[in-house]
Amino acid sequence: MDKFVIEGGAPLVGEIETSGAKNAALPALAACLLTEDTVTLHRIPRVKDITTMTSLLRSIGAAVDADGGTVRVEARHVEKPEAPYELVKTMRASSLVLGPLAARFGRARVSIPGGCAIGARPINLHINGLEQLGAQVTQTHGYIEAVAPPEGLRGSVVTFDRITVTGTEDLMMAAVRAKGETILENAAREPEVQDLADLLIKMGAKVEGGGTSTIRIEGVPSLHGAEHAIIPDRIEAGTFLIAGAITGGNLLVTACEPEHLNALVAKLRQCGVTVEQEGPGALRVRRTGTLRAVDMITEEHPGFPTDLQAQFLALMTQADGISIITETIFENRFMHASELMRMGANIRIEGRQAIVAGPRELSGAQVMSSDLRASASLVVAALVARGETVIDRVYHIDRGYEAIEAKLVKAGARIRRV
Ligand code: EPZ
């Protein structure tokens, strides 16, 4: 089991290039099931979750050819419209194949994704939506089975009880081949949802309002192949901006989409961090003076992303004052706090809030990753901690960050994988 060994204290300088967004690539790969033609996707990050999704597509029967950051999928011959337990248990986002399989093959059988470290993470809203489109959904032996009527799914108005990113994406993919019009209300507005809409439109789907809270879809009988470049990973880029700030560095994050990072950039500026756009797709972060503590509340996009909460909390351990961080999306997303406290941070958890008192010097320690973004938070903290930090179970971070240690070393960090 790999570990990271990090010697803190080096300010990040130079440039770090952002990869494609894992959370845009996953629905895009699932969308390939909607056509028998070849779909070519560029800027696919080489991370574990993508490997899991391509394995899932192959187990369903699709031909998948990965060449560097380009993945070609041809789902012409599909034998098994199923997502088996062995794969789903390693990646909950496997539920993204529910919609496309039900839409194209009339049947989908997906292992019910368990919870994970950050919460129970049910998919009841995905199921309710599919039933609204006419599917019969049963749950037996740990599997969900969705069966469309003989004439196929039919359009409907689906109003989500609460905003769900992959729920919105799943239903978009179910609706694009349903008969008639589907309206998704209270839809997620994340850039990854908009990127999926852009891909579906290239494949011949009729989708309006992707990226807004109301998405209107006119079903079409079939979709065709397409070529599409995935959007940059705003969470990876945001993680590096925070790392540049916490180390007092001067770092240019390139190949990102600055407008996807407005909420984080606004917060960093409130803390006294300098963030400037430098040409298209590049943000420079510099911290010279003291870091001011600010409160932060996670919200669905365009609010502050929950996937950057752990990293921002690490930054607030170095800020001057008290920061109250409220996590509104997931019920248990402060697993990183206990590990940060072992490094010397002053944090108190009260329900959905973390109260951080700073600045507190962090000292290197042996710490344990619990989930993808918590491990990113530990890397950020280790970069500023005095002495050496050993982070265990870095397979969590490998799920969503492409070659993170190589990117950090290039910017002057003292990090190695052992
Ligand atoms: C997506 O997860 C992301 N994953 C998550 O990123 C991200 O944290 C999350 O959206 C919120 O932005 C992918 O896109 C692959 P939700 P998702 O459905 O879609 C509840 C990462 O680190 N809910 O928007 O699973 C749910 O429990 C990952 O890259 C239901 O109750 O999240 C949560 O409290 C972690 N019923 C809230 O809604 C449902 O049917 C938002 O979840 C669905 C969700």
Side-chain angles (χ1 to χ4, degrees), residues 22-24 26-27 49 92-93 96 118-127 162-167 169 188 190 192 234-235 300 306-307 328-331 333 352 372-373:
K22 159 181 91 82
N23 289 349
L26 291 170
D49 274 8
R92 315 181 56 270
L96 279 166
I118 64 178
R121 305 192 68 189
I123 59 167
N124 57 309
L125 301 177
H126 301 230
I127 293 168
R162 69 175 294 178
I163 292 171
T164 161
V165 174
T166 51
E169 293 163 348
E190 271 65 8
E192 293 76 26
R234 61 194 169 99
I235 304 304
E300 292 89 355
T306 175
D307 289 350
T328 68
I329 308 293
F330 291 107
E331 63 267 30
R333 201 169 200 177
R352 289 285 187 109
L372 169 55
R373 305 304 174 183

Side-chain angles (χ1 to χ4, degrees), residues 247-259:
T247 56
N250 183 340
L251 179 69
L252 187 68
V253 177
T254 63
C256 69
E257 179 47 76
E259 74 172 34

Side-chain angles (χ1 to χ4, degrees), residues 61-76:
V64 180
D65 170 47
D67 170 21
T70 293
V71 176
R72 287 179 184 79
V73 181
E74 186 191 62
R76 181 173 297 276

Side-chain angles (χ1 to χ4, degrees), residues 167-237:
T168 301
E169 293 163 348
D170 225 345
L171 269 295
M172 286 167 73
M173 294 188 279
V176 289
R177 289 180 53 144
K179 286 177 182 43
E181 180 181 64
T182 295
I183 296 175
L184 303 181
E185 292 187 331
N186 199 23
R189 295 182 280 167
E190 271 65 8
E192 293 76 26
V193 174
Q194 180 160 8
D195 201 40
L196 175 62
D198 293 346
L199 168 60
L200 291 171
I201 290 165
K202 286 180 184 176
M203 294 171 69
K206 291 182 180 157
V207 182
E208 288 171 10
T212 74
S213 52
T214 301
I215 300 175
R216 189 181 296 273
I217 296 173
E218 185 62 39
V220 293
S222 68
L223 297 182
H224 51 70
E227 190 156 0
H228 181 69
I230 299 295
I231 55 171
D233 193 319
R234 61 194 169 99
I235 304 304
E236 183 199 21

